[in-house]
Amino acid sequence: MTVFKHIIRSGVSDSDDHLKARGVILSNYISLILCTSVLLLFVTRWLQHGIFLDSLIAGFLLFLSPIVFNRFAQTTLSRLYLCYMPVGFLWAVFISNLGDSTAVEVSMYDGLRLFLLAVSFI
C-alpha cells in the first residue's frame, strides 16, 4: 500500500499549496484508473481473440506518463496530456481494429461512443 501511496503522491512536495497538491494527486489517480481500464479492456480482448501486447504496452506507457510529468513538475502538460490522450489512444486502437475485422458491427460503434463519453467527463 505504501508503494501505491508513493505513486499517487508523486510530484507533490511539502511546499505546495493545498490546491496544487490536490490537482496533482487527482491527476495521478485518474492516470492509474485509466491504466486499470486499459488492462481490463485488453484482458477481455485476450479472452475473446488472443493477446495484443503492443496496444497494452502502448496504453500503459501513455497513461503512466502523466505521473512522470507530475514528478518533474510539469503539471500543466500532465493535465493536457491526460485530457487528450485517452481519446486519441482509443481512436487509434479502434481504427487499427477496424482494418483487422471482416465485418463492422453496430456494437463496436456503440462501445466507442460510450467510452468516449465516459472519458470526456474526466
Side-chain angles (χ1 to χ4, degrees):
M1 191 57 118
T2 59
V3 173
F4 182 70
K5 185 177 178 180
H6 286 300
I7 291 172
I8 293 300
R9 294 194 54 84
S10 178
V12 176
S13 65
D14 294 334
S15 63
D16 290 339
D17 63 343
H18 175 68
L19 292 176
K20 183 177 179 182
R22 184 178 65 179
V24 169
I25 290 172
L26 182 64
S27 66
N28 288 344
Y29 267 122
I30 291 171
S31 182
L32 286 178
I33 289 169
L34 288 172
C35 284
T36 305
S37 68
V38 167
L39 179 66
L40 291 175
L41 173 71
F42 288 104
V43 164
T44 56
R45 286 183 61 201
W46 174 70
L47 291 175
Q48 294 174 354
H49 304 290
I51 191 124
F52 301 97
L53 279 178
D54 55 343
S55 298
L56 177 66
I57 292 169
F60 265 83
L61 292 177
L62 288 174
F63 293 135
L64 284 178
S65 58
I67 295 173
V68 174
F69 291 150
N70 284 334
R71 184 75 169 168
F72 293 114
Q74 300 293 327
T75 57
T76 306
L77 180 63
S78 167
R79 290 175 188 162
L80 284 173
Y81 196 80
L82 197 57
C83 288
Y84 292 116
M85 194 45 60
V87 175
F89 174 71
L90 179 67
W91 190 255
V93 170
F94 180 73
I95 294 298
S96 68
N97 287 335
L98 274 180
D100 296 339
S101 63
T102 56
V104 179
E105 300 174 9
V106 176
S107 64
M108 293 174 69
Y109 291 110
D110 287 339
L112 175 68
R113 182 184 56 147
L114 290 174
F115 189 79
L116 287 175
L117 182 64
V119 169
S120 297
F121 280 111
I122 293 175

